[in-house]
């Protein structure tokens, strides 16, 4: 009799353990960048935190490579090809309007500050408009200040830049480049090495980090701008159906780690590798850095003024009230972030 009760108890325990194991949610996580890139690293750190905070109820399966090329990532997460990933809003031109507010020149010299401020503005103004509808937007963020890098010559003026061919990543910098009369081509970041090494392009617009991350040993010149020539808007996202299927307890964990928490993680990660590339790799390969003078900055600002007016009009059509006020609030918020 005792043996029968013991077997029954063991069977019940086994069933309970099996039920607990089957209740674990596993997210398929995709990255279109190498596993050593800061975005892949921070995405994994976020996943590790998710598993820890949920006591193992949720975990990530980091896929060996991206399920699609970078421009298709938003739709891949929306359609369930991957459960979690990130993408550049500007890789699909014309699709996202409000997000361009985080891509304007001269916003700041820290990815952390711009990312956290962007998240706050996004929560307050953009999320209710549903521009990222179709996915669960976990966080938004930006990279560090954008720089003009090239293999040929110092770029001291708008005319110097116009004499070269550049790869760009889309968004406002695409519009600004056109307005400046520069010869630029929209291509995803991972294609930069081939484009530069083969001479198809003379340079690229990137944050400091990318010279090291993409092993751009051919880069010899850099032109910086106070607050950056541009930023790039990213969205970190989850498949909406996967999120909806979570228990209330697990949704609370995801929500806790989303928003400013995730935005700060991505921003701090980027600031760290920006500094490492600038002080290590670029110095070692002899990259000559200059800062744009007042005339160059003014030439950019004059063109950008028109683009901001154009953006405001388009954003208003999309439902954003008083876009210029939102932009001013965003800039003020960046200054507050520590």
């Amino acid at each position: 009799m005792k043996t029968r009760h013991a077997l029954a108890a063991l069977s019940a325990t086994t069933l309970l353990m099996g039920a607990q194991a089957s209740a674990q949610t596993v997210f398929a996580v995709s990255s279109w960048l190498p596993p050593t890139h800061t975005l892949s690293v921070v995405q994994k750190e976020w996943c590790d935190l998710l598993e820890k905070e949920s006591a193992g109820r949720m975990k990530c399966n980091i896929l060996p490579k991206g399920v699609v090329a970078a421009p298709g990532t938003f739709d891949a997460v929306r359609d369930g090809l991957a459960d979690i990933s990130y993408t550049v809003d500007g890789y699909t031109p014309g699709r996202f309007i409000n997000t361009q507010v985080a891509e304007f020149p001269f916003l700041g010299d820290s990815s952390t500050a711009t990312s956290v401020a962007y998240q706050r503005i996004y929560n307050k103004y953009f999320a209710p408009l549903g521009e990222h509808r179709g996915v669960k937007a976990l966080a938004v963020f930006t990279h560090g200040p954008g720089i003009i890098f090239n293999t040929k010559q110092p770029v001291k003026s708008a005319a110097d830049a116009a004499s070269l061919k550049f790869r760009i990543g889309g968004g406002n910098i695409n519009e600004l480049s056109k307005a400046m009369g520069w010869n630029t081509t929209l291509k995803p970041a991972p294609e930069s090495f081939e484009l530069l090494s083969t001479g198809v392009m003379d340079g690229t617009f990137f944050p400091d980090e990318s010279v090291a991350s993409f092993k751009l040993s051919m880069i010899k010149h850099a032109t910086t701008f106070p607050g950056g020539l541009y930023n790039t808007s990213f969205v970190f996202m989850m498949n909406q159906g996967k999120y909806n299927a979570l228990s209330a307890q697990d949704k609370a964990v995801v929500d806790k780690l989303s928003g400013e928490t995730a935005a700060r993680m991505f921003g701090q990660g980027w600031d760290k590798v920006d500094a490492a590339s600038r002080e290590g790799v670029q110095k070692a390969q002899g990259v000559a850095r200059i800062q744009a003078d007042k005339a160059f900055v003014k030439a950019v600002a004059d063109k950008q003024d028109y683009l901001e007016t154009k953006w405001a009009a388009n954003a208003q059509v999309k439902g954003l009230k008083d876009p210029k006020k939102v932009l001013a609030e965003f800039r003020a918020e960046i200054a507050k972030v520590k």
Side-chain angles (χ1 to χ4, degrees):
M1 195 72 175
K2 289 182 178 179
T3 301
R4 188 184 301 167
H5 287 314
L7 288 171
L10 179 60
S11 178
T13 301
T14 302
L15 286 171
L16 179 59
M17 291 175 64
Q20 290 174 334
S22 65
Q24 185 182 59
T25 299
V26 179
F27 296 98
V29 178
S30 176
S31 176
W32 41 268
L33 288 166
T36 53
H37 190 280
T38 183
L39 296 189
S40 300
V41 171
V42 173
Q43 183 170 246
K44 184 182 183 305
E45 289 174 350
W46 187 88
C47 281
D48 292 342
L49 197 56
L50 182 72
E51 184 171 359
K52 179 182 177 182
E53 290 287 325
S54 68
R57 295 188 308 276
M58 293 181 283
K59 66 177 295 185
C60 294
N61 174 30
I62 308 292
L63 301 175
K65 64 177 184 177
V67 294
V68 293
T73 302
F74 184 92
D75 291 341
V77 173
R78 182 197 63 192
D79 298 340
L81 297 180
D83 297 320
I84 294 175
S85 192
Y86 56 85
T87 195
V88 174
D89 291 307
Y91 278 175
T92 48
R95 186 171 190 171
F96 304 104
I97 301 300
N98 294 324
T99 60
Q100 290 180 21
V101 75
E103 301 176 346
F104 295 159
F106 321 132
L107 288 176
D109 294 315
S110 162
S111 174
T112 303
T114 54
S115 295
V116 172
Y118 179 29
Q119 183 67 59
R120 292 173 182 173
I121 293 298
Y122 183 89
N123 288 345
K124 185 175 180 179
Y125 296 106
F126 302 154
L129 298 177
E131 201 165 37
H132 285 125
R133 66 177 59 86
V135 302
K136 170 68 175 176
L138 300 174
V140 294
F141 61 96
T142 77
H143 63 39
I147 296 167
I148 297 177
F149 287 107
N150 83 92
T151 64
K152 303 285 187 182
Q153 65 187 46
V155 173
K156 299 179 179 180
S157 67
D160 287 342
S163 69
L164 301 172
K165 297 176 293 183
F166 292 97
R167 181 224 71 99
I168 58 171
N172 182 74
I173 189 60
N174 190 34
E175 299 303 314
L176 178 59
S177 296
K178 290 177 183 176
M180 297 295 294
W182 295 341
N183 185 357
T184 56
T185 300
L186 174 61
K187 292 286 184 181
E191 296 184 28
S192 299
F193 182 88
E194 182 177 0
L195 291 168
L196 294 175
S197 63
T198 57
V200 173
M201 296 291 162
D202 301 313
T204 180
F205 295 174
F206 261 148
D208 270 316
E209 160 274 331
S210 300
V211 176
S213 292
F214 298 112
K215 298 180 172 55
L216 303 181
S217 58
M218 68 291 291
I219 291 295
K220 296 302 177 186
H221 300 277
T223 303
T224 66
F225 291 76
L229 175 63
Y230 73 103
N231 280 293
T232 292
S233 166
F234 291 81
V235 58
F236 178 46
M237 57 197 162
M238 179 183 287
N239 175 266
Q240 188 69 59
K242 196 83 171 185
Y243 176 82
N244 292 344
L246 296 175
S247 67
Q249 183 182 20
D250 286 350
K251 283 179 181 175
V253 174
V254 171
D255 293 347
K256 175 185 175 183
L257 301 181
S258 299
E260 276 195 42
T261 298
R264 189 176 289 276
M265 288 176 68
F266 281 107
Q268 288 176 339
W270 214 304
D271 283 339
K272 181 179 178 180
V273 292
D274 266 352
S277 176
R278 183 170 57 247
E279 297 163 11
V281 172
Q282 292 179 49
K283 188 174 289 186
Q285 69 188 52
V287 175
R289 297 174 71 91
I290 60 174
Q291 184 166 341
D293 62 18
K294 290 181 180 179
F296 198 176
V297 170
K298 184 178 186 302
V300 171
D302 288 346
K303 296 296 185 183
Q304 182 59 31
D305 185 60
Y306 159 74
L307 291 176
E308 289 178 15
T309 299
K310 179 181 175 183
W311 166 80
N314 291 335
Q316 202 158 22
V317 170
K318 290 284 188 177
L320 183 64
K321 296 180 180 179
D322 203 349
K324 285 291 187 78
K325 179 183 177 183
V326 172
L327 175 56
E329 186 176 336
F330 176 41
R331 287 181 168 137
E333 198 65 45
I334 292 170
K336 296 178 187 176
V337 178
K338 303 296 182 183

PDB file of all heavy atoms in Angstrom, residues 10 25 28 41 58 60 72 115 122 137 146 158 171 187 204 215-216 236 238 278 281 309:
ATOM      1  N   LEU A  10       5.073  10.030  -6.742  1.00  0.00           N
ATOM      2  CA  LEU A  10       6.137  10.246  -7.710  1.00  0.00           C
ATOM      3  C   LEU A  10       5.557  10.608  -9.076  1.00  0.00           C
ATOM      4  O   LEU A  10       6.047  11.504  -9.764  1.00  0.00           O
ATOM      5  CB  LEU A  10       6.991   8.977  -7.824  1.00  0.00           C
ATOM      6  CG  LEU A  10       8.154   9.031  -8.835  1.00  0.00           C
ATOM      7  CD1 LEU A  10       9.128  10.139  -8.455  1.00  0.00           C
ATOM      8  CD2 LEU A  10       8.863   7.684  -8.889  1.00  0.00           C
ATOM      9  N   THR A  25       8.060  29.658 -21.693  1.00  0.00           N
ATOM     10  CA  THR A  25       7.965  30.338 -22.986  1.00  0.00           C
ATOM     11  C   THR A  25       9.370  30.558 -23.533  1.00  0.00           C
ATOM     12  O   THR A  25      10.215  31.140 -22.861  1.00  0.00           O
ATOM     13  CB  THR A  25       7.258  31.691 -22.834  1.00  0.00           C
ATOM     14  OG1 THR A  25       5.931  31.484 -22.340  1.00  0.00           O
ATOM     15  CG2 THR A  25       7.184  32.415 -24.169  1.00  0.00           C
ATOM     16  N   ALA A  28      12.184  32.952 -29.970  1.00  0.00           N
ATOM     17  CA  ALA A  28      13.183  32.880 -31.041  1.00  0.00           C
ATOM     18  C   ALA A  28      13.694  34.297 -31.293  1.00  0.00           C
ATOM     19  O   ALA A  28      12.927  35.184 -31.677  1.00  0.00           O
ATOM     20  CB  ALA A  28      12.562  32.302 -32.303  1.00  0.00           C
ATOM     21  N   VAL A  41      24.854  41.943 -28.469  1.00  0.00           N
ATOM     22  CA  VAL A  41      25.280  41.716 -27.078  1.00  0.00           C
ATOM     23  C   VAL A  41      24.213  42.195 -26.104  1.00  0.00           C
ATOM     24  O   VAL A  41      23.830  41.483 -25.160  1.00  0.00           O
ATOM     25  CB  VAL A  41      26.624  42.418 -26.806  1.00  0.00           C
ATOM     26  CG1 VAL A  41      26.961  42.389 -25.316  1.00  0.00           C
ATOM     27  CG2 VAL A  41      27.747  41.757 -27.608  1.00  0.00           C
ATOM     28  N   MET A  58      10.529  32.324 -18.729  1.00  0.00           N
ATOM     29  CA  MET A  58      10.758  32.799 -20.083  1.00  0.00           C
ATOM     30  C   MET A  58      12.251  32.750 -20.384  1.00  0.00           C
ATOM     31  O   MET A  58      13.074  33.061 -19.521  1.00  0.00           O
ATOM     32  CB  MET A  58      10.249  34.242 -20.248  1.00  0.00           C
ATOM     33  CG  MET A  58       8.740  34.384 -20.157  1.00  0.00           C
ATOM     34  SD  MET A  58       8.184  36.111 -20.391  1.00  0.00           S
ATOM     35  CE  MET A  58       8.598  36.828 -18.789  1.00  0.00           C
ATOM     36  N   CYS A  60      15.280  32.860 -23.964  1.00  0.00           N
ATOM     37  CA  CYS A  60      15.488  33.160 -25.369  1.00  0.00           C
ATOM     38  C   CYS A  60      16.329  32.088 -26.040  1.00  0.00           C
ATOM     39  O   CYS A  60      17.284  31.577 -25.458  1.00  0.00           O
ATOM     40  CB  CYS A  60      16.202  34.502 -25.528  1.00  0.00           C
ATOM     41  SG  CYS A  60      15.237  35.931 -24.974  1.00  0.00           S
ATOM     42  N   GLY A  72      14.018  43.706 -43.774  1.00  0.00           N
ATOM     43  CA  GLY A  72      12.808  42.907 -43.626  1.00  0.00           C
ATOM     44  C   GLY A  72      12.497  42.492 -42.215  1.00  0.00           C
ATOM     45  O   GLY A  72      11.528  41.752 -41.970  1.00  0.00           O
ATOM     46  N   SER A 115      18.704  58.153 -26.311  1.00  0.00           N
ATOM     47  CA  SER A 115      17.833  56.970 -26.278  1.00  0.00           C
ATOM     48  C   SER A 115      16.790  57.065 -25.178  1.00  0.00           C
ATOM     49  O   SER A 115      15.598  56.804 -25.405  1.00  0.00           O
ATOM     50  CB  SER A 115      18.677  55.697 -26.094  1.00  0.00           C
ATOM     51  OG  SER A 115      19.511  55.471 -27.204  1.00  0.00           O
ATOM     52  N   TYR A 122       8.571  59.062 -26.955  1.00  0.00           N
ATOM     53  CA  TYR A 122       7.831  58.012 -27.662  1.00  0.00           C
ATOM     54  C   TYR A 122       6.622  57.574 -26.840  1.00  0.00           C
ATOM     55  O   TYR A 122       5.502  57.467 -27.355  1.00  0.00           O
ATOM     56  CB  TYR A 122       8.756  56.827 -27.925  1.00  0.00           C
ATOM     57  CG  TYR A 122       8.125  55.701 -28.716  1.00  0.00           C
ATOM     58  CD1 TYR A 122       8.183  55.690 -30.108  1.00  0.00           C
ATOM     59  CD2 TYR A 122       7.475  54.644 -28.074  1.00  0.00           C
ATOM     60  CE1 TYR A 122       7.607  54.660 -30.842  1.00  0.00           C
ATOM     61  CE2 TYR A 122       6.892  53.615 -28.799  1.00  0.00           C
ATOM     62  CZ  TYR A 122       6.963  53.631 -30.181  1.00  0.00           C
ATOM     63  OH  TYR A 122       6.378  52.606 -30.901  1.00  0.00           O
ATOM     64  N   ALA A 137       6.210  46.984 -29.400  1.00  0.00           N
ATOM     65  CA  ALA A 137       7.426  47.790 -29.307  1.00  0.00           C
ATOM     66  C   ALA A 137       7.937  47.751 -27.875  1.00  0.00           C
ATOM     67  O   ALA A 137       7.321  48.312 -26.967  1.00  0.00           O
ATOM     68  CB  ALA A 137       7.148  49.228 -29.739  1.00  0.00           C
ATOM     69  N   GLY A 146      26.284  60.701 -35.247  1.00  0.00           N
ATOM     70  CA  GLY A 146      26.738  60.319 -36.579  1.00  0.00           C
ATOM     71  C   GLY A 146      27.907  61.156 -37.064  1.00  0.00           C
ATOM     72  O   GLY A 146      27.973  62.369 -36.830  1.00  0.00           O
ATOM     73  N   ALA A 158      30.826  71.273 -47.075  1.00  0.00           N
ATOM     74  CA  ALA A 158      29.778  70.573 -47.817  1.00  0.00           C
ATOM     75  C   ALA A 158      30.256  70.222 -49.219  1.00  0.00           C
ATOM     76  O   ALA A 158      29.912  69.168 -49.765  1.00  0.00           O
ATOM     77  CB  ALA A 158      28.532  71.452 -47.890  1.00  0.00           C
ATOM     78  N   GLY A 171      16.484  57.196 -43.307  1.00  0.00           N
ATOM     79  CA  GLY A 171      15.898  58.135 -42.361  1.00  0.00           C
ATOM     80  C   GLY A 171      16.219  59.568 -42.740  1.00  0.00           C
ATOM     81  O   GLY A 171      16.437  59.903 -43.910  1.00  0.00           O
ATOM     82  N   LYS A 187      22.099  51.775 -48.024  1.00  0.00           N
ATOM     83  CA  LYS A 187      22.469  50.367 -47.887  1.00  0.00           C
ATOM     84  C   LYS A 187      22.539  50.013 -46.404  1.00  0.00           C
ATOM     85  O   LYS A 187      22.950  50.826 -45.578  1.00  0.00           O
ATOM     86  CB  LYS A 187      23.837  50.089 -48.517  1.00  0.00           C
ATOM     87  CG  LYS A 187      23.883  50.214 -50.036  1.00  0.00           C
ATOM     88  CD  LYS A 187      23.191  49.042 -50.714  1.00  0.00           C
ATOM     89  CE  LYS A 187      23.331  49.112 -52.229  1.00  0.00           C
ATOM     90  NZ  LYS A 187      22.633  47.984 -52.896  1.00  0.00           N
ATOM     91  N   THR A 204      31.337  56.390 -45.528  1.00  0.00           N
ATOM     92  CA  THR A 204      30.056  56.014 -44.933  1.00  0.00           C
ATOM     93  C   THR A 204      29.746  56.958 -43.786  1.00  0.00           C
ATOM     94  O   THR A 204      30.655  57.520 -43.169  1.00  0.00           O
ATOM     95  CB  THR A 204      30.085  54.554 -44.436  1.00  0.00           C
ATOM     96  OG1 THR A 204      28.813  54.222 -43.863  1.00  0.00           O
ATOM     97  CG2 THR A 204      31.171  54.331 -43.394  1.00  0.00           C
ATOM     98  N   LYS A 215      34.958  46.318 -38.810  1.00  0.00           N
ATOM     99  CA  LYS A 215      36.367  46.145 -39.204  1.00  0.00           C
ATOM    100  C   LYS A 215      36.722  46.986 -40.430  1.00  0.00           C
ATOM    101  O   LYS A 215      37.324  46.493 -41.397  1.00  0.00           O
ATOM    102  CB  LYS A 215      36.669  44.662 -39.447  1.00  0.00           C
ATOM    103  CG  LYS A 215      36.478  43.796 -38.209  1.00  0.00           C
ATOM    104  CD  LYS A 215      36.777  42.332 -38.489  1.00  0.00           C
ATOM    105  CE  LYS A 215      36.780  41.493 -37.227  1.00  0.00           C
ATOM    106  NZ  LYS A 215      35.546  41.582 -36.441  1.00  0.00           N
ATOM    107  N   LEU A 216      36.373  48.263 -40.360  1.00  0.00           N
ATOM    108  CA  LEU A 216      36.587  49.169 -41.492  1.00  0.00           C
ATOM    109  C   LEU A 216      37.998  49.755 -41.431  1.00  0.00           C
ATOM    110  O   LEU A 216      38.207  50.951 -41.195  1.00  0.00           O
ATOM    111  CB  LEU A 216      35.530  50.267 -41.495  1.00  0.00           C
ATOM    112  CG  LEU A 216      34.073  49.778 -41.538  1.00  0.00           C
ATOM    113  CD1 LEU A 216      33.110  50.951 -41.574  1.00  0.00           C
ATOM    114  CD2 LEU A 216      33.834  48.846 -42.735  1.00  0.00           C
ATOM    115  N   PHE A 236      13.192  48.121 -30.795  1.00  0.00           N
ATOM    116  CA  PHE A 236      13.400  46.792 -30.240  1.00  0.00           C
ATOM    117  C   PHE A 236      12.001  46.223 -30.020  1.00  0.00           C
ATOM    118  O   PHE A 236      11.169  46.869 -29.376  1.00  0.00           O
ATOM    119  CB  PHE A 236      14.162  46.913 -28.921  1.00  0.00           C
ATOM    120  CG  PHE A 236      14.422  45.625 -28.199  1.00  0.00           C
ATOM    121  CD1 PHE A 236      14.894  44.500 -28.869  1.00  0.00           C
ATOM    122  CD2 PHE A 236      14.224  45.550 -26.825  1.00  0.00           C
ATOM    123  CE1 PHE A 236      15.149  43.316 -28.186  1.00  0.00           C
ATOM    124  CE2 PHE A 236      14.484  44.378 -26.137  1.00  0.00           C
ATOM    125  CZ  PHE A 236      14.950  43.258 -26.820  1.00  0.00           C
ATOM    126  N   MET A 238       8.854  42.792 -30.116  1.00  0.00           N
ATOM    127  CA  MET A 238       8.431  41.412 -29.885  1.00  0.00           C
ATOM    128  C   MET A 238       7.202  41.137 -30.732  1.00  0.00           C
ATOM    129  O   MET A 238       6.382  42.041 -30.966  1.00  0.00           O
ATOM    130  CB  MET A 238       8.097  41.205 -28.395  1.00  0.00           C
ATOM    131  CG  MET A 238       7.605  39.802 -28.030  1.00  0.00           C
ATOM    132  SD  MET A 238       7.154  39.659 -26.261  1.00  0.00           S
ATOM    133  CE  MET A 238       8.786  39.681 -25.510  1.00  0.00           C
ATOM    134  N   ARG A 278      36.786  54.677 -30.851  1.00  0.00           N
ATOM    135  CA  ARG A 278      37.436  55.986 -31.029  1.00  0.00           C
ATOM    136  C   ARG A 278      38.831  55.996 -30.414  1.00  0.00           C
ATOM    137  O   ARG A 278      39.798  56.480 -31.022  1.00  0.00           O
ATOM    138  CB  ARG A 278      36.552  57.055 -30.384  1.00  0.00           C
ATOM    139  CG  ARG A 278      37.036  58.474 -30.536  1.00  0.00           C
ATOM    140  CD  ARG A 278      35.970  59.448 -30.072  1.00  0.00           C
ATOM    141  NE  ARG A 278      35.547  59.230 -28.699  1.00  0.00           N
ATOM    142  CZ  ARG A 278      34.325  58.819 -28.351  1.00  0.00           C
ATOM    143  NH1 ARG A 278      33.408  58.561 -29.265  1.00  0.00           N
ATOM    144  NH2 ARG A 278      34.001  58.641 -27.072  1.00  0.00           N
ATOM    145  N   VAL A 281      40.687  51.329 -31.785  1.00  0.00           N
ATOM    146  CA  VAL A 281      40.826  50.923 -33.182  1.00  0.00           C
ATOM    147  C   VAL A 281      41.165  52.101 -34.093  1.00  0.00           C
ATOM    148  O   VAL A 281      42.108  52.042 -34.897  1.00  0.00           O
ATOM    149  CB  VAL A 281      39.540  50.219 -33.667  1.00  0.00           C
ATOM    150  CG1 VAL A 281      39.595  49.964 -35.163  1.00  0.00           C
ATOM    151  CG2 VAL A 281      39.343  48.909 -32.921  1.00  0.00           C
ATOM    152  N   THR A 309      10.704  71.447 -40.847  1.00  0.00           N
ATOM    153  CA  THR A 309       9.384  71.993 -41.182  1.00  0.00           C
ATOM    154  C   THR A 309       8.585  70.980 -42.006  1.00  0.00           C
ATOM    155  O   THR A 309       7.381  70.775 -41.782  1.00  0.00           O
ATOM    156  CB  THR A 309       9.534  73.310 -41.953  1.00  0.00           C
ATOM    157  OG1 THR A 309      10.226  74.263 -41.130  1.00  0.00           O
ATOM    158  CG2 THR A 309       8.180  73.876 -42.343  1.00  0.00           C
TER     159      THR A 309
END
